[in-house]
Amino acid sequence: MTGAVLLTRAALRRDRGRLLVWAIGLLAFAAVCSGHVTSGFDEEALRAASLRAAIDTPALLVGRGLPMGTSHGAFLFYTYGVLLANAFALFAVLFTIRHGRAEEEDGSRELLRAAAIGRLAALAAALAAGAAGVLLLAVAMAAGLVLGGAEPGGALRAGMVCGLVGAVFLPLGALAGQIAPTARVAAALAFAAIIGLFAVRVVADLQAEVDPDTLIGAPAASAWLSPFSLAGLADPFGALAPGPLAVLVAASSAGAAVALAVELRREFGGSLLRPRRGPTHAPAGLRGPLRIGLRLQRSALLAMAAAGAVVGVFVALMAGSAIDAERAPGLETAIRDVVGGGGPLYDLLLGYVMVLVGECAAVAGVLALLHARREEVVGNAELVRGAAVGPVRWLVSALLAGVLAILLSLASSALGSAAVYVLQGRSGGAVAEVLGATAAQLPAALLFLGIIALVFAALPRFTGGIAWAVLALGVVLAELGGRLGLPAWVLSLSPFLHSPLVTMPDPRWSGAVWMTGAALAAAAGAVAIHRRRDLDP
């Protein structure tokens, strides 16, 4: 462990800007969430009605947690606790991968190993610095909840619980870096683990029994297998349960011990999954930058297609719940409070959940463009450009790969939704409506691709940070803006909210038209700028 303290300080200093951005963002998000509950659900009767609506429509529990009562704090953590815990999980895995496998790839870890440091010092420093970062985020989250009107003691306990969730995922990110040969594959493994544990939480919440009088859920046995479920079971705004906290601490400690044991036996730069050697000569089908890019991204494309299909199935199931809600006035009122707006409930709910399809497609397009930036950083783009490939052709190929990724994601979502509708015995007109609603998400996804392409051409070194910030802003405004009561001009900043509701009697196509035009203009500007700049590592 020689040198672990110095390496911890160096890691915190290196990421001080990122930590500040995470802390400010989480503080603001927690404050807005808490303020929304304080202002919109100030009466216990409103909170009880919303909880009963979720119990009657289990699909509404997917993005929330297990009901733990009707108090202000319990309802706040039920509504937003899962989202906050997921933020901690994402921060944790990204931090340890960045200070683990990514440092081995770029050579900075090798320079550190040349100094007088212990074999486990670098990993211990990454875990310690990550724990300090999680602690900072926990304090920021608690402060945000208090600013929004939450009870201070419960807010501190909620920050502690979410911090323990982040502590569980710190060694998981380190293990992903030890298993995978590249940082990109490590991130994919870590994200898959987060999605898997999130799915376990969803299944556990759907299996739980909720008392109709107290509106307190009795957890299923599978809830103890997911950190996200354990965060809700801890009940930070009620009688803090020590059992879930003990399981989170034990899981974090066990994960750290396993990661240190693997590191002790792993060769520097090695991975448990050995990289597969490619063929000596490329086939004729890989001629051209577009074909090479698609070949290198085939795993990511298949993963996003699978994610799109899952989202499509979820969208169809959620939209179908509107039919049952129309027969229950109380449930219909609760759903309208979440969705907002007027008009037929089915059309509104379909348009609301269809935003998820657009978000998934936008992520697919952004990932394809970020791959092009990574190729530029590691030097592969220079090799391709050394052939008869100019800057315009290379960037256009990257943009086309992004468009194909978006189309593939939308197509898989359409197939998933259509399959559910067919199995439910819905009419051909309903299937056509869901297919049209899926296609209507294309302009918004293309606009994000054009914006990130413009950033990539003008500010290449900031592409990753700006890309995820812009995408996160659009997603947060689309998913939570209406529920948080934000002004209309703020909501209009999200392209997803300008997608036409094709199932409405008079859909507004102006949004699709101007977003398509803006996307084309941004792409043209990106090509013009990139044509005149050098490769920027």
Short mmCIF file of all heavy atoms in Angstrom, two decimals, residues 232-303:
data_model
loop_
_atom_site.label_atom_id
_atom_site.label_comp_id
_atom_site.label_asym_id
_atom_site.label_seq_id
_atom_site.Cartn_x
_atom_site.Cartn_y
_atom_site.Cartn_z
N GLY A 232 -34.40 1.49 -0.51
CA GLY A 232 -35.78 1.75 -0.11
C GLY A 232 -36.16 1.06 1.18
O GLY A 232 -36.87 1.64 2.01
N LEU A 233 -35.67 -0.18 1.37
CA LEU A 233 -36.00 -0.92 2.59
C LEU A 233 -35.38 -0.26 3.82
O LEU A 233 -35.90 -0.43 4.93
CB LEU A 233 -35.49 -2.36 2.47
CG LEU A 233 -36.11 -3.23 1.37
CD1 LEU A 233 -35.55 -4.63 1.41
CD2 LEU A 233 -37.62 -3.25 1.50
N ALA A 234 -34.29 0.49 3.64
CA ALA A 234 -33.68 1.15 4.78
C ALA A 234 -34.59 2.21 5.39
O ALA A 234 -34.45 2.55 6.57
CB ALA A 234 -32.36 1.80 4.36
N ASP A 235 -35.53 2.74 4.60
CA ASP A 235 -36.52 3.70 5.07
C ASP A 235 -35.85 4.87 5.79
O ASP A 235 -36.06 5.08 7.00
CB ASP A 235 -37.52 3.01 6.00
CG ASP A 235 -38.75 3.86 6.27
OD1 ASP A 235 -38.96 4.85 5.53
OD2 ASP A 235 -39.50 3.56 7.22
N PRO A 236 -35.06 5.68 5.07
CA PRO A 236 -34.31 6.75 5.74
C PRO A 236 -35.17 7.83 6.37
O PRO A 236 -34.73 8.49 7.31
CB PRO A 236 -33.45 7.32 4.60
CG PRO A 236 -34.17 6.97 3.35
CD PRO A 236 -34.82 5.66 3.61
N PHE A 237 -36.38 8.03 5.89
CA PHE A 237 -37.25 9.05 6.47
C PHE A 237 -38.19 8.48 7.53
O PHE A 237 -39.05 9.19 8.04
CB PHE A 237 -38.05 9.74 5.38
CG PHE A 237 -37.25 10.70 4.55
CD1 PHE A 237 -36.64 10.29 3.38
CD2 PHE A 237 -37.08 12.02 4.95
CE1 PHE A 237 -35.90 11.18 2.61
CE2 PHE A 237 -36.34 12.91 4.20
CZ PHE A 237 -35.75 12.49 3.02
N GLY A 238 -38.02 7.20 7.85
CA GLY A 238 -38.82 6.58 8.90
C GLY A 238 -37.92 6.03 9.97
O GLY A 238 -36.93 6.66 10.38
N ALA A 239 -38.25 4.84 10.44
CA ALA A 239 -37.40 4.16 11.42
C ALA A 239 -36.29 3.47 10.65
O ALA A 239 -36.47 2.38 10.10
CB ALA A 239 -38.22 3.17 12.23
N LEU A 240 -35.12 4.08 10.61
CA LEU A 240 -34.00 3.58 9.81
C LEU A 240 -33.72 2.12 10.16
O LEU A 240 -33.39 1.79 11.30
CB LEU A 240 -32.76 4.44 10.06
CG LEU A 240 -31.56 4.16 9.16
CD1 LEU A 240 -31.88 4.49 7.71
CD2 LEU A 240 -30.35 4.98 9.61
N ALA A 241 -33.84 1.24 9.16
CA ALA A 241 -33.66 -0.19 9.38
C ALA A 241 -32.19 -0.56 9.29
O ALA A 241 -31.54 -0.29 8.28
CB ALA A 241 -34.46 -0.98 8.34
N PRO A 242 -31.61 -1.17 10.31
CA PRO A 242 -30.18 -1.50 10.28
C PRO A 242 -29.84 -2.67 9.36
O PRO A 242 -28.72 -2.77 8.88
CB PRO A 242 -29.87 -1.84 11.74
CG PRO A 242 -31.18 -2.30 12.31
CD PRO A 242 -32.23 -1.52 11.60
N GLY A 243 -30.81 -3.56 9.13
CA GLY A 243 -30.52 -4.74 8.31
C GLY A 243 -30.05 -4.40 6.91
O GLY A 243 -28.97 -4.85 6.47
N PRO A 244 -30.81 -3.62 6.13
CA PRO A 244 -30.36 -3.26 4.78
C PRO A 244 -29.02 -2.51 4.79
O PRO A 244 -28.20 -2.71 3.89
CB PRO A 244 -31.49 -2.37 4.26
CG PRO A 244 -32.69 -2.80 5.02
CD PRO A 244 -32.19 -3.16 6.38
N LEU A 245 -28.80 -1.66 5.80
CA LEU A 245 -27.52 -0.95 5.87
C LEU A 245 -26.37 -1.92 6.06
O LEU A 245 -25.31 -1.78 5.45
CB LEU A 245 -27.55 0.07 7.01
CG LEU A 245 -28.61 1.17 6.94
CD1 LEU A 245 -28.48 2.12 8.12
CD2 LEU A 245 -28.48 1.95 5.64
N ALA A 246 -26.59 -2.93 6.92
CA ALA A 246 -25.53 -3.92 7.16
C ALA A 246 -25.23 -4.71 5.88
O ALA A 246 -24.06 -5.00 5.59
CB ALA A 246 -25.96 -4.86 8.28
N VAL A 247 -26.26 -5.03 5.11
CA VAL A 247 -26.04 -5.77 3.86
C VAL A 247 -25.26 -4.91 2.86
O VAL A 247 -24.35 -5.40 2.18
CB VAL A 247 -27.39 -6.21 3.26
CG1 VAL A 247 -27.18 -6.85 1.89
CG2 VAL A 247 -28.08 -7.19 4.19
N LEU A 248 -25.58 -3.62 2.77
CA LEU A 248 -24.85 -2.73 1.86
C LEU A 248 -23.39 -2.61 2.27
O LEU A 248 -22.49 -2.66 1.41
CB LEU A 248 -25.51 -1.35 1.84
CG LEU A 248 -26.88 -1.26 1.16
CD1 LEU A 248 -27.48 0.12 1.37
CD2 LEU A 248 -26.76 -1.56 -0.33
N VAL A 249 -23.13 -2.45 3.56
CA VAL A 249 -21.74 -2.36 4.03
C VAL A 249 -21.00 -3.66 3.75
O VAL A 249 -19.84 -3.65 3.30
CB VAL A 249 -21.72 -2.01 5.53
CG1 VAL A 249 -20.30 -2.11 6.08
CG2 VAL A 249 -22.27 -0.62 5.76
N ALA A 250 -21.65 -4.78 4.01
CA ALA A 250 -21.00 -6.07 3.77
C ALA A 250 -20.72 -6.29 2.29
O ALA A 250 -19.65 -6.79 1.92
CB ALA A 250 -21.89 -7.20 4.32
N ALA A 251 -21.66 -5.91 1.44
CA ALA A 251 -21.46 -6.07 0.00
C ALA A 251 -20.31 -5.20 -0.49
O ALA A 251 -19.48 -5.65 -1.30
CB ALA A 251 -22.73 -5.73 -0.75
N SER A 252 -20.23 -3.96 0.01
CA SER A 252 -19.13 -3.08 -0.39
C SER A 252 -17.79 -3.63 0.08
O SER A 252 -16.81 -3.64 -0.68
CB SER A 252 -19.37 -1.68 0.17
OG SER A 252 -18.30 -0.82 -0.15
N SER A 253 -17.73 -4.10 1.31
CA SER A 253 -16.48 -4.63 1.85
C SER A 253 -16.05 -5.89 1.11
O SER A 253 -14.87 -6.07 0.78
CB SER A 253 -16.64 -4.92 3.35
OG SER A 253 -17.02 -3.76 4.06
N ALA A 254 -17.02 -6.77 0.84
CA ALA A 254 -16.69 -8.00 0.12
C ALA A 254 -16.22 -7.70 -1.29
O ALA A 254 -15.25 -8.31 -1.79
CB ALA A 254 -17.91 -8.92 0.09
N GLY A 255 -16.87 -6.74 -1.95
CA GLY A 255 -16.45 -6.39 -3.30
C GLY A 255 -15.04 -5.81 -3.32
O GLY A 255 -14.23 -6.13 -4.20
N ALA A 256 -14.72 -4.96 -2.34
CA ALA A 256 -13.37 -4.39 -2.27
C ALA A 256 -12.34 -5.47 -2.01
O ALA A 256 -11.23 -5.46 -2.60
CB ALA A 256 -13.32 -3.33 -1.18
N ALA A 257 -12.67 -6.43 -1.14
CA ALA A 257 -11.73 -7.51 -0.86
C ALA A 257 -11.47 -8.36 -2.10
O ALA A 257 -10.32 -8.75 -2.38
CB ALA A 257 -12.27 -8.38 0.28
N VAL A 258 -12.53 -8.66 -2.86
CA VAL A 258 -12.36 -9.45 -4.08
C VAL A 258 -11.52 -8.68 -5.10
O VAL A 258 -10.62 -9.25 -5.75
CB VAL A 258 -13.73 -9.82 -4.67
CG1 VAL A 258 -13.57 -10.47 -6.04
CG2 VAL A 258 -14.48 -10.75 -3.73
N ALA A 259 -11.79 -7.39 -5.26
CA ALA A 259 -11.03 -6.58 -6.22
C ALA A 259 -9.55 -6.53 -5.84
O ALA A 259 -8.67 -6.64 -6.70
CB ALA A 259 -11.61 -5.17 -6.30
N LEU A 260 -9.25 -6.38 -4.56
CA LEU A 260 -7.85 -6.35 -4.12
C LEU A 260 -7.19 -7.71 -4.32
O LEU A 260 -6.01 -7.78 -4.70
CB LEU A 260 -7.78 -5.93 -2.65
CG LEU A 260 -8.15 -4.47 -2.35
CD1 LEU A 260 -8.26 -4.24 -0.85
CD2 LEU A 260 -7.11 -3.52 -2.95
N ALA A 261 -7.92 -8.79 -4.08
CA ALA A 261 -7.36 -10.12 -4.28
C ALA A 261 -7.06 -10.38 -5.76
O ALA A 261 -6.01 -10.95 -6.10
CB ALA A 261 -8.33 -11.18 -3.75
N VAL A 262 -7.95 -9.95 -6.63
CA VAL A 262 -7.71 -10.12 -8.07
C VAL A 262 -6.51 -9.27 -8.51
O VAL A 262 -5.67 -9.72 -9.30
CB VAL A 262 -8.98 -9.74 -8.86
CG1 VAL A 262 -8.69 -9.72 -10.37
CG2 VAL A 262 -10.10 -10.71 -8.57
N GLU A 263 -6.43 -8.05 -7.99
CA GLU A 263 -5.34 -7.15 -8.36
C GLU A 263 -3.99 -7.72 -7.92
O GLU A 263 -2.97 -7.54 -8.60
CB GLU A 263 -5.55 -5.78 -7.72
CG GLU A 263 -4.56 -4.72 -8.13
CD GLU A 263 -4.73 -4.28 -9.58
OE1 GLU A 263 -5.76 -4.64 -10.19
OE2 GLU A 263 -3.84 -3.56 -10.09
N LEU A 264 -3.99 -8.43 -6.80
CA LEU A 264 -2.74 -9.00 -6.29
C LEU A 264 -2.19 -10.08 -7.21
O LEU A 264 -0.97 -10.30 -7.27
CB LEU A 264 -2.98 -9.56 -4.89
CG LEU A 264 -1.76 -9.94 -4.05
CD1 LEU A 264 -0.88 -8.72 -3.82
CD2 LEU A 264 -2.18 -10.57 -2.74
N ARG A 265 -3.06 -10.73 -7.96
CA ARG A 265 -2.66 -11.84 -8.82
C ARG A 265 -2.67 -11.49 -10.31
O ARG A 265 -2.19 -12.28 -11.12
CB ARG A 265 -3.59 -13.03 -8.58
CG ARG A 265 -3.43 -13.64 -7.19
CD ARG A 265 -4.60 -14.55 -6.85
NE ARG A 265 -4.42 -15.20 -5.56
CZ ARG A 265 -4.63 -14.61 -4.38
NH1 ARG A 265 -5.03 -13.35 -4.36
NH2 ARG A 265 -4.44 -15.27 -3.26
N ARG A 266 -3.18 -10.33 -10.64
CA ARG A 266 -3.29 -9.95 -12.05
C ARG A 266 -2.01 -9.29 -12.53
O ARG A 266 -1.44 -8.44 -11.85
CB ARG A 266 -4.47 -8.98 -12.22
CG ARG A 266 -4.76 -8.56 -13.64
CD ARG A 266 -5.97 -7.64 -13.67
NE ARG A 266 -5.68 -6.35 -13.04
CZ ARG A 266 -5.36 -5.25 -13.72
NH1 ARG A 266 -5.30 -5.27 -15.04
NH2 ARG A 266 -5.12 -4.13 -13.07
N GLU A 267 -1.62 -9.64 -13.74
CA GLU A 267 -0.48 -8.96 -14.35
C GLU A 267 -0.88 -7.54 -14.73
O GLU A 267 -2.02 -7.28 -15.08
CB GLU A 267 -0.02 -9.72 -15.60
CG GLU A 267 0.58 -11.07 -15.32
CD GLU A 267 1.12 -11.72 -16.59
OE1 GLU A 267 1.11 -11.04 -17.64
OE2 GLU A 267 1.54 -12.88 -16.52
N PHE A 268 0.08 -6.64 -14.67
CA PHE A 268 -0.22 -5.25 -15.00
C PHE A 268 -0.67 -5.14 -16.46
O PHE A 268 -0.02 -5.65 -17.37
CB PHE A 268 1.02 -4.37 -14.79
CG PHE A 268 0.82 -2.95 -15.21
CD1 PHE A 268 0.06 -2.10 -14.43
CD2 PHE A 268 1.35 -2.47 -16.39
CE1 PHE A 268 -0.15 -0.78 -14.81
CE2 PHE A 268 1.16 -1.16 -16.78
CZ PHE A 268 0.40 -0.31 -15.98
N GLY A 269 -1.82 -4.51 -16.67
CA GLY A 269 -2.37 -4.36 -18.00
C GLY A 269 -3.17 -5.55 -18.48
O GLY A 269 -3.80 -5.48 -19.53
N GLY A 270 -3.12 -6.65 -17.73
CA GLY A 270 -3.83 -7.85 -18.15
C GLY A 270 -5.30 -7.79 -17.77
O GLY A 270 -5.77 -6.90 -17.06
N SER A 271 -6.05 -8.74 -18.27
CA SER A 271 -7.49 -8.81 -17.99
C SER A 271 -7.90 -10.27 -17.92
O SER A 271 -7.25 -11.15 -18.52
CB SER A 271 -8.30 -8.09 -19.07
OG SER A 271 -8.08 -8.67 -20.34
N LEU A 272 -8.96 -10.54 -17.18
CA LEU A 272 -9.46 -11.91 -17.08
C LEU A 272 -10.05 -12.37 -18.40
O LEU A 272 -10.03 -13.57 -18.73
CB LEU A 272 -10.51 -12.00 -15.98
CG LEU A 272 -10.02 -11.61 -14.56
CD1 LEU A 272 -11.13 -11.82 -13.54
CD2 LEU A 272 -8.78 -12.40 -14.18
N LEU A 273 -10.61 -11.44 -19.17
CA LEU A 273 -11.06 -11.74 -20.53
C LEU A 273 -9.95 -11.37 -21.50
O LEU A 273 -9.63 -10.20 -21.67
CB LEU A 273 -12.34 -10.97 -20.87
CG LEU A 273 -13.60 -11.34 -20.11
CD1 LEU A 273 -14.75 -10.43 -20.53
CD2 LEU A 273 -13.97 -12.79 -20.36
N ARG A 274 -9.35 -12.34 -22.11
CA ARG A 274 -8.24 -12.07 -23.01
C ARG A 274 -8.74 -11.46 -24.31
O ARG A 274 -9.73 -11.93 -24.89
CB ARG A 274 -7.48 -13.37 -23.33
CG ARG A 274 -6.88 -14.04 -22.11
CD ARG A 274 -5.81 -13.17 -21.50
NE ARG A 274 -5.21 -13.79 -20.32
CZ ARG A 274 -4.32 -13.21 -19.56
NH1 ARG A 274 -3.92 -11.98 -19.84
NH2 ARG A 274 -3.82 -13.84 -18.50
N PRO A 275 -8.10 -10.40 -24.79
CA PRO A 275 -8.53 -9.83 -26.08
C PRO A 275 -8.30 -10.81 -27.21
O PRO A 275 -7.26 -11.48 -27.28
CB PRO A 275 -7.63 -8.58 -26.22
CG PRO A 275 -6.46 -8.84 -25.33
CD PRO A 275 -6.97 -9.66 -24.20
N ARG A 276 -9.28 -10.90 -28.08
CA ARG A 276 -9.20 -11.85 -29.19
C ARG A 276 -8.40 -11.26 -30.34
O ARG A 276 -8.59 -10.11 -30.73
CB ARG A 276 -10.61 -12.21 -29.66
CG ARG A 276 -10.66 -13.30 -30.71
CD ARG A 276 -12.08 -13.65 -31.05
NE ARG A 276 -12.81 -12.48 -31.54
CZ ARG A 276 -14.09 -12.50 -31.89
NH1 ARG A 276 -14.79 -13.61 -31.74
NH2 ARG A 276 -14.68 -11.41 -32.34
N ARG A 277 -7.49 -12.04 -30.85
CA ARG A 277 -6.69 -11.59 -31.98
C ARG A 277 -7.53 -11.59 -33.26
O ARG A 277 -8.27 -12.52 -33.53
CB ARG A 277 -5.47 -12.50 -32.18
CG ARG A 277 -4.46 -12.42 -31.05
CD ARG A 277 -3.26 -13.30 -31.35
NE ARG A 277 -2.26 -13.19 -30.31
CZ ARG A 277 -1.30 -12.29 -30.28
NH1 ARG A 277 -1.22 -11.41 -31.27
NH2 ARG A 277 -0.41 -12.24 -29.31
N GLY A 278 -7.40 -10.53 -34.01
CA GLY A 278 -8.12 -10.43 -35.27
C GLY A 278 -7.38 -11.10 -36.41
O GLY A 278 -6.23 -11.54 -36.27
N PRO A 279 -8.00 -11.20 -37.58
CA PRO A 279 -7.33 -11.82 -38.74
C PRO A 279 -6.19 -10.95 -39.24
O PRO A 279 -6.14 -9.74 -39.01
CB PRO A 279 -8.47 -11.91 -39.78
CG PRO A 279 -9.43 -10.84 -39.38
CD PRO A 279 -9.36 -10.75 -37.90
N THR A 280 -5.26 -11.58 -39.92
CA THR A 280 -4.10 -10.86 -40.44
C THR A 280 -4.50 -9.87 -41.52
O THR A 280 -3.98 -8.75 -41.58
CB THR A 280 -3.07 -11.84 -41.00
OG1 THR A 280 -2.74 -12.80 -39.98
CG2 THR A 280 -1.81 -11.13 -41.43
N HIS A 281 -5.43 -10.27 -42.36
CA HIS A 281 -5.87 -9.40 -43.47
C HIS A 281 -7.37 -9.16 -43.34
O HIS A 281 -8.14 -10.08 -43.06
CB HIS A 281 -5.56 -10.06 -44.82
CG HIS A 281 -4.10 -10.35 -45.02
ND1 HIS A 281 -3.17 -9.38 -45.28
CD2 HIS A 281 -3.42 -11.53 -44.97
CE1 HIS A 281 -1.97 -9.93 -45.40
NE2 HIS A 281 -2.09 -11.24 -45.22
N ALA A 282 -7.77 -7.92 -43.54
CA ALA A 282 -9.19 -7.57 -43.46
C ALA A 282 -9.92 -8.04 -44.70
O ALA A 282 -9.37 -8.00 -45.81
CB ALA A 282 -9.34 -6.06 -43.31
N PRO A 283 -11.16 -8.50 -44.56
CA PRO A 283 -11.94 -8.90 -45.74
C PRO A 283 -12.29 -7.69 -46.60
O PRO A 283 -12.24 -6.54 -46.16
CB PRO A 283 -13.18 -9.55 -45.14
CG PRO A 283 -13.31 -8.96 -43.78
CD PRO A 283 -11.91 -8.71 -43.31
N ALA A 284 -12.68 -7.97 -47.82
CA ALA A 284 -13.01 -6.89 -48.76
C ALA A 284 -14.21 -6.07 -48.29
O ALA A 284 -14.34 -4.90 -48.64
CB ALA A 284 -13.28 -7.47 -50.15
N GLY A 285 -15.06 -6.68 -47.48
CA GLY A 285 -16.24 -5.97 -47.01
C GLY A 285 -15.94 -4.84 -46.04
O GLY A 285 -16.82 -4.05 -45.71
N LEU A 286 -14.71 -4.75 -45.54
CA LEU A 286 -14.34 -3.70 -44.59
C LEU A 286 -13.65 -2.52 -45.27
O LEU A 286 -13.05 -1.69 -44.59
CB LEU A 286 -13.44 -4.27 -43.49
CG LEU A 286 -14.09 -5.29 -42.55
CD1 LEU A 286 -13.11 -5.71 -41.47
CD2 LEU A 286 -15.34 -4.70 -41.92
N ARG A 287 -13.72 -2.44 -46.56
CA ARG A 287 -13.13 -1.30 -47.25
C ARG A 287 -14.00 -0.06 -47.03
O ARG A 287 -15.19 -0.08 -47.28
CB ARG A 287 -13.00 -1.60 -48.74
CG ARG A 287 -11.96 -2.68 -49.04
CD ARG A 287 -11.93 -3.01 -50.52
NE ARG A 287 -10.94 -4.04 -50.83
CZ ARG A 287 -10.79 -4.61 -52.01
NH1 ARG A 287 -11.57 -4.23 -53.02
NH2 ARG A 287 -9.89 -5.53 -52.19
N GLY A 288 -13.38 0.99 -46.57
CA GLY A 288 -14.10 2.24 -46.33
C GLY A 288 -14.29 2.50 -44.85
O GLY A 288 -14.45 1.56 -44.05
N PRO A 289 -14.26 3.75 -44.43
CA PRO A 289 -14.37 4.09 -43.00
C PRO A 289 -15.72 3.74 -42.40
O PRO A 289 -15.80 3.40 -41.22
CB PRO A 289 -14.12 5.60 -42.98
CG PRO A 289 -14.45 6.07 -44.36
CD PRO A 289 -14.08 4.95 -45.28
N LEU A 290 -16.81 3.81 -43.18
CA LEU A 290 -18.12 3.49 -42.63
C LEU A 290 -18.21 2.02 -42.26
O LEU A 290 -18.68 1.67 -41.17
CB LEU A 290 -19.21 3.86 -43.63
CG LEU A 290 -20.64 3.48 -43.22
CD1 LEU A 290 -21.02 4.16 -41.90
CD2 LEU A 290 -21.63 3.85 -44.32
N ARG A 291 -17.77 1.14 -43.14
CA ARG A 291 -17.85 -0.29 -42.86
C ARG A 291 -16.95 -0.67 -41.69
O ARG A 291 -17.33 -1.50 -40.85
CB ARG A 291 -17.46 -1.08 -44.12
CG ARG A 291 -18.42 -0.89 -45.28
CD ARG A 291 -17.97 -1.66 -46.50
NE ARG A 291 -18.87 -1.48 -47.63
CZ ARG A 291 -18.68 -2.02 -48.82
NH1 ARG A 291 -17.61 -2.80 -49.05
NH2 ARG A 291 -19.55 -1.81 -49.80
N ILE A 292 -15.79 -0.05 -41.61
CA ILE A 292 -14.89 -0.33 -40.48
C ILE A 292 -15.53 0.13 -39.18
O ILE A 292 -15.51 -0.58 -38.16
CB ILE A 292 -13.53 0.35 -40.69
CG1 ILE A 292 -12.81 -0.28 -41.88
CG2 ILE A 292 -12.68 0.24 -39.44
CD1 ILE A 292 -11.51 0.40 -42.21
N GLY A 293 -16.12 1.34 -39.20
CA GLY A 293 -16.76 1.85 -38.00
C GLY A 293 -17.91 0.98 -37.52
O GLY A 293 -18.06 0.70 -36.33
N LEU A 294 -18.74 0.51 -38.46
CA LEU A 294 -19.84 -0.36 -38.09
C LEU A 294 -19.34 -1.70 -37.55
O LEU A 294 -19.92 -2.26 -36.61
CB LEU A 294 -20.76 -0.58 -39.29
CG LEU A 294 -21.52 0.65 -39.80
CD1 LEU A 294 -22.31 0.31 -41.05
CD2 LEU A 294 -22.45 1.19 -38.71
N ARG A 295 -18.26 -2.20 -38.15
CA ARG A 295 -17.68 -3.46 -37.66
C ARG A 295 -17.16 -3.32 -36.24
O ARG A 295 -17.37 -4.20 -35.39
CB ARG A 295 -16.55 -3.88 -38.61
CG ARG A 295 -15.76 -5.12 -38.16
CD ARG A 295 -16.63 -6.36 -38.22
NE ARG A 295 -15.86 -7.57 -38.02
CZ ARG A 295 -15.47 -8.02 -36.82
NH1 ARG A 295 -15.81 -7.34 -35.73
NH2 ARG A 295 -14.77 -9.13 -36.70
N LEU A 296 -16.50 -2.20 -35.94
CA LEU A 296 -15.95 -2.00 -34.61
C LEU A 296 -17.05 -1.75 -33.58
O LEU A 296 -16.85 -2.02 -32.38
CB LEU A 296 -14.99 -0.80 -34.62
CG LEU A 296 -13.70 -0.99 -35.42
CD1 LEU A 296 -12.89 0.30 -35.45
CD2 LEU A 296 -12.86 -2.12 -34.82
N GLN A 297 -18.19 -1.27 -34.02
CA GLN A 297 -19.27 -0.94 -33.09
C GLN A 297 -20.37 -1.98 -33.07
O GLN A 297 -21.45 -1.73 -32.51
CB GLN A 297 -19.88 0.41 -33.46
CG GLN A 297 -18.93 1.58 -33.41
CD GLN A 297 -19.61 2.88 -33.80
OE1 GLN A 297 -20.49 3.37 -33.12
NE2 GLN A 297 -19.20 3.44 -34.93
N ARG A 298 -20.13 -3.14 -33.64
CA ARG A 298 -21.21 -4.11 -33.77
C ARG A 298 -21.77 -4.53 -32.41
O ARG A 298 -23.00 -4.69 -32.25
CB ARG A 298 -20.73 -5.34 -34.55
CG ARG A 298 -19.65 -6.15 -33.86
CD ARG A 298 -19.05 -7.19 -34.80
NE ARG A 298 -18.11 -8.08 -34.14
CZ ARG A 298 -16.87 -7.77 -33.82
NH1 ARG A 298 -16.41 -6.56 -34.13
NH2 ARG A 298 -16.08 -8.63 -33.22
N SER A 299 -20.90 -4.68 -31.40
CA SER A 299 -21.40 -5.07 -30.08
C SER A 299 -22.27 -3.98 -29.48
O SER A 299 -23.34 -4.26 -28.92
CB SER A 299 -20.22 -5.37 -29.15
OG SER A 299 -19.44 -6.45 -29.64
N ALA A 300 -21.82 -2.73 -29.60
CA ALA A 300 -22.62 -1.62 -29.07
C ALA A 300 -23.94 -1.49 -29.82
O ALA A 300 -24.99 -1.22 -29.21
CB ALA A 300 -21.83 -0.32 -29.16
N LEU A 301 -23.92 -1.70 -31.14
CA LEU A 301 -25.15 -1.61 -31.92
C LEU A 301 -26.14 -2.69 -31.51
O LEU A 301 -27.34 -2.43 -31.36
CB LEU A 301 -24.82 -1.73 -33.40
CG LEU A 301 -24.05 -0.55 -34.02
CD1 LEU A 301 -23.67 -0.87 -35.46
CD2 LEU A 301 -24.90 0.72 -33.98
N LEU A 302 -25.65 -3.91 -31.32
CA LEU A 302 -26.54 -5.00 -30.88
C LEU A 302 -27.09 -4.74 -29.49
O LEU A 302 -28.26 -5.02 -29.21
CB LEU A 302 -25.77 -6.33 -30.92
CG LEU A 302 -25.40 -6.85 -32.31
CD1 LEU A 302 -24.56 -8.12 -32.19
CD2 LEU A 302 -26.65 -7.13 -33.13
N ALA A 303 -26.24 -4.18 -28.60
CA ALA A 303 -26.70 -3.88 -27.24
C ALA A 303 -27.79 -2.81 -27.27
O ALA A 303 -28.80 -2.92 -26.56
CB ALA A 303 -25.53 -3.43 -26.38
#
